[in-house]
Amino acid sequence: MHKKLAPKLDTQFKQEVYQGLTSYPKFLSSKYIYDKAGDALFQDIMNMPEYYLTNTEFSILETYKEQLAQYFFNNEKPFHLIEMGAGDGKKTKILLHHFTDKKLDFTFRPIDISQNALDSLQANLKDEIPELATEPMQGTYFETLKKLNFATDERKVILFLGSNIGNLLHDQAIEFLSKIQEYMQPNDLLFIGFDQKKHPQILLDAYNDTTGITARFNKNLLVRINRELEANFDMDSFMHWEVYDPESGTAKSYLVAQSPQQVHIEKLSLDVTFDAWETIHTEISQKYDDKTVHWLAEKSGLKVLETFSDAKNYYKNYLFTKSV
Ligand SMILES: C[S@@+](CC[C@H](N)C(=O)[O-])C[C@H]1O[C@@H](n2cnc3c(N)ncnc32)[C@H](O)[C@@H]1O
């Protein structure tokens, strides 16, 4: 009898795709959207008028860069500016320019799962701020953070911008923030962007633009599985769908199968069956208010030192330290 060989799940990508597509309901992690095409699509998203997140955080950093320099500066001692999920560093560059102009002694350490994003960021920084010391690290947040050990008098300032934290549900965010808190010394700082609750239509428009860029971004997950795992997803038979619950503040992205179908994934030795209108949940974009951010901080052993917001209170950046 012909026996089907068990698939070799020898990478985290294969394991997670296998797990997500053999579960019910199905899911995939949005972190795999970011390959070369996904990085470029995210840059297109940041340039969309509907995607207010980039401009609002940009304006906050521009307005408060001097105040932040004073917080981050460590009494003549060097500090490490670590950015988790740096992407193209578009907004971080405001701080990098300001801090180098002020001749602050620091090293910039961007972390990203996408090697492509890090390569273009590094090339770009070499060009724009040649005097900046940059040490990029490729990998997922914690696998990378674990490798960074510095002398205790060298302050670590950890940036987590773009409301990337919103990709986590609250219990995951508490686990995530607690891990960062354990990694921090009392002198270290954590600076995070949290997109705020606002008119639900503004939120829905940001994640479901009429030109279809967000849809292409979401579908890039399937394009990547097709290419890297030799699958045959038919892009036209899946649609992007966004929902927002104003009570919980959770926006969710889905890929929805518009007809019954079967997809073969050669490298996972897997056939995946979809009923009509079956979903793949791909992303969470959690929205916050002050009460929720303070609650998350308290649960994670952190305290809020200062809050910075844009003129419309669409978006806020919070500066945290360890609470004990
Ligand atoms: C939404 S983009 C934001 C980029 C930038 N922080 C900003 O605010 O514009 C998310 C970035 O985080 C990276 N990323 C997503 N999940 C990650 C993970 N688990 N570990 C490391 N990087 C991750 C992606 O590759 C991407 O560059």
Side-chain angles (χ1 to χ4, degrees), residues 256-274:
V256 184
Q258 298 181 85
S259 54
Q261 56 203 281
Q262 200 174 50
V263 175
H264 178 68
I265 308 180
E266 178 62 26
K267 289 208 170 157
L268 301 182
S269 310
L270 181 68
D271 288 313
V272 187
T273 306
F274 289 88

Side-chain angles (χ1 to χ4, degrees), residues 35-226:
D35 59 2
K36 200 169 183 173
D39 291 339
L41 284 163
F42 187 70
Q43 287 186 317
D44 293 344
I45 287 176
M46 288 198 290
N47 289 325
M48 294 178 345
E50 297 91 338
Y51 198 76
Y52 60 84
L53 286 87
T54 307
N55 286 344
T56 48
E57 193 170 44
F58 198 93
S59 78
I60 293 169
L61 297 181
E62 191 57 55
T63 308
Y64 297 105
K65 61 188 178 192
E66 179 49 31
Q67 208 175 325
L68 290 170
Q70 287 172 23
Y71 268 118
F72 295 179
F73 181 61
N74 189 27
N75 284 328
E76 310 296 335
K77 294 189 194 108
F79 68 91
H80 302 276
L81 190 64
I82 302 167
E83 180 167 12
M84 303 205 288
D88 72 353
K90 180 175 167 169
K91 290 163 293 177
T92 320
K93 278 192 222 156
I94 299 169
L95 300 182
L96 299 176
H97 274 291
H98 188 65
F99 296 172
T100 40
D101 288 349
K102 282 183 70 90
K103 306 219 173 329
L104 299 190
D105 185 0
F106 75 106
T107 308
F108 178 48
R109 299 176 182 275
I111 292 174
D112 207 291
I113 196 171
S114 164
Q115 185 64 53
N116 170 68
L118 288 175
D119 289 345
S120 38
L121 175 60
Q122 197 176 17
N124 189 281
L125 286 174
K126 221 177 204 168
D127 218 35
E128 265 190 51
I129 322 178
E131 66 275 38
L132 176 71
T134 309
E135 298 279 342
M137 288 188 76
Q138 191 273 331
T140 54
Y141 303 131
F142 288 109
E143 134 201 320
T144 318
L145 214 50
K146 268 196 293 200
K147 295 182 194 152
L148 291 174
N149 279 311
F150 306 113
T152 43
D153 65 339
E154 294 185 3
R155 168 178 283 161
K156 301 189 285 293
V157 179
I158 303 167
L159 306 179
F160 197 35
L161 304 181
S163 206
N164 279 16
I165 186 136
N167 293 151
L168 305 174
L169 288 169
H170 291 324
D171 53 347
Q172 299 168 320
I174 291 168
E175 201 186 318
F176 183 86
L177 292 171
S178 302
K179 275 200 212 164
I180 300 181
Q181 185 273 137
E182 281 164 24
Y183 172 73
M184 289 166 72
Q185 300 285 337
N187 193 30
D188 293 343
L189 295 168
L190 174 63
F191 184 70
I192 307 187
F194 286 86
D195 194 18
Q196 302 289 300
K197 288 183 178 173
K198 57 184 66 64
H199 193 303
Q201 193 59 53
I202 297 175
L203 285 166
L204 283 172
D205 291 347
Y207 294 96
N208 194 12
D209 62 290
T210 47
T211 50
I213 296 171
T214 322
R216 286 213 298 286
F217 176 73
N218 198 6
K219 282 189 188 183
N220 192 52
L221 263 170
L222 305 186
V223 175
R224 185 169 182 182
I225 293 171
N226 274 358

